[in-house]
Amino acid sequence: MRTLQASTSYSVGFGISSFATFPKPSTRRCLTVAKMEPSEKSVEIMRKFSEQYARRSGTYFCMDKGVTSVVIKGLAEHKDTLGAPLCPCRHYDDKAAEAQQGFWNCPCVPMRERKECHCMLFLTPDNDFAGEEQSITLEEIKESTANM
Amino acid sequence: MGANYSSTWHEANLSTTPQIKRSQVIAFHSSAKWKLHFDSLKDTNKLVVIDFTATWCGPCKYMEPVINDFAAKYTDVEFVKIDVDELADVAQEYGVQAMPTFVLIKKGEVVDKIVGADKDGLQKKIQKHRAIFI
């Protein structure tokens, strides 16, 4: 029990010298966090795009705007790191190759062809999750993703 | 992150009765640790539900409180959370393409799979597979 307790991260925080190998994972964690937060510029670009595309396609944002906010941030993050708004709700073997190929760049082919958005960003009015709005503010995005 | 993993995993292993007092969703951040845990569950009858998630996946965030509620309700079921970007090899092993994907495992074998934020569908599958050994 003691051994396992000692392996928790707070023991690292107290600087126990016997766990000198621990700074490595914590460095990696910092890098992960840095990678995760998209630039405000990209968030704004993707926010505007989302509003425009919802209106153009006759689709609506999720009644839970937290879902919308997270996806917009995900698209922005991919725009920052890959140069294209690759769908953040899919898993890829090679993200860079996928972004270049374009099939899952937002709006993806299934959305353009059949109005299918697995990410729940653009919902047709008959969808149970569909709200009544086609607009979202930067403040709403910030607010609903603040505790992430 | 590591703290969460260690303490919850430890708790789960300490429990010898099927009723875990404070059921939680266990997040794995290392494939090796997941493998170890997976192997320890292979010989049990316990239903394991893996939630394959990603940081900026909206439907995954929607399902998060749902999964937490399920974990509190179905204390005989083990709920595991895996970030596909963190443990890409595990996601690949289970053929995860879209998130969220919920993979239901029993005795080391995949017994069911559900893709998307389908709360009711997932609950039905959990009830179906956990009911077998009750």
Side-chain angles (χ1 to χ4, degrees):
Chain A
M1 189 172 175
R2 263 179 204 152
T3 321
L4 277 161
Q5 275 180 342
S7 69
T8 56
S9 61
Y10 49 79
S11 61
V12 181
F14 294 138
I16 295 169
S17 60
S18 58
F19 293 96
T21 51
F22 270 79
K24 206 179 171 189
S26 75
T27 309
R28 197 184 61 200
R29 197 169 120 191
C30 288
L31 284 172
T32 312
V33 171
K35 192 196 85 180
M36 270 159 32
E37 195 60 33
S39 68
E40 197 166 308
K41 188 189 164 199
S42 289
V43 174
E44 180 58 12
I45 291 170
M46 294 322 299
R47 182 193 72 80
K48 276 189 180 162
F49 152 78
S50 302
E51 286 188 339
Q52 282 168 3
Y53 194 78
R55 286 182 197 123
R56 222 178 76 192
S57 60
T59 54
Y60 294 84
F61 292 149
C62 184
M63 59 173 82
D64 177 354
K65 288 270 195 79
V67 171
T68 317
S69 303
V70 168
V71 178
I72 289 175
K73 274 200 160 182
L75 292 170
E77 201 265 338
H78 277 164
K79 197 175 177 347
D80 282 342
T81 55
L82 305 164
L86 188 67
C87 177
C89 304
R90 290 193 67 85
H91 178 58
Y92 317 91
D93 291 340
D94 186 340
K95 278 191 181 188
E98 205 69 52
Q100 209 166 18
Q101 201 274 335
F103 189 93
W104 292 111
N105 286 346
C106 191
C108 65
V109 174
M111 180 63 209
R112 278 180 275 164
E113 289 182 350
R114 302 183 298 276
K115 292 190 185 180
E116 282 173 12
C117 174
H118 162 77
C119 238
M120 289 164 56
L121 178 59
F122 304 116
L123 299 166
T124 51
D126 60 322
N127 190 301
D128 288 345
F129 289 101
E132 291 175 342
E133 289 181 60
Q134 291 174 318
S135 60
I136 186 163
T137 63
L138 198 59
E139 281 65 39
E140 276 181 284
I141 296 173
K142 278 182 188 169
E143 232 171 78
S144 55
T145 56
N147 56 355
M148 279 183 68
Chain B
M1 283 177 169
N4 286 342
Y5 157 73
S6 297
S7 58
T8 47
W9 185 67
H10 178 59
E11 258 171 45
N13 274 329
L14 257 187
S15 175
T16 47
T17 56
Q19 272 202 330
I20 300 168
K21 257 189 176 179
R22 200 160 47 94
S23 183
Q24 287 176 42
V25 181
I26 312 171
F28 283 89
H29 307 288
S30 138
S31 301
K33 280 175 185 166
W34 156 245
K35 190 92 193 132
L36 210 70
H37 189 64
F38 174 82
D39 287 341
S40 75
L41 288 165
K42 258 185 182 172
D43 300 324
T44 71
N45 235 339
K46 204 172 190 180
L47 173 66
V48 182
V49 178
I50 316 177
D51 171 9
F52 285 99
T53 181
T55 311
W56 296 118
C57 159
C60 302
K61 293 289 164 252
Y62 170 81
M63 286 301 280
E64 212 173 85
V66 172
I67 295 300
N68 289 339
D69 285 350
F70 284 171
K73 191 176 174 185
Y74 304 113
T75 50
D76 55 312
V77 180
E78 185 149 311
F79 291 85
V80 170
K81 193 163 116 177
I82 288 177
D83 186 307
V84 297
D85 289 317
E86 256 181 6
L87 307 187
D89 52 340
V90 182
Q92 203 163 6
E93 191 187 328
Y94 288 95
V96 177
Q97 291 189 312
M99 285 84 76
T101 288
F102 301 96
V103 175
L104 282 74
I105 295 173
K106 229 172 173 183
K107 291 187 175 176
E109 300 287 331
V110 175
V111 291
D112 232 322
K113 201 173 188 177
I114 197 156
V115 181
D118 184 359
K119 181 184 170 180
D120 295 338
L122 179 62
Q123 188 162 23
K124 275 180 195 152
K125 284 189 190 297
I126 290 170
Q127 282 169 343
K128 178 187 164 191
H129 293 289
R130 74 187 273 266
I132 294 167
F133 71 99
I134 285 176

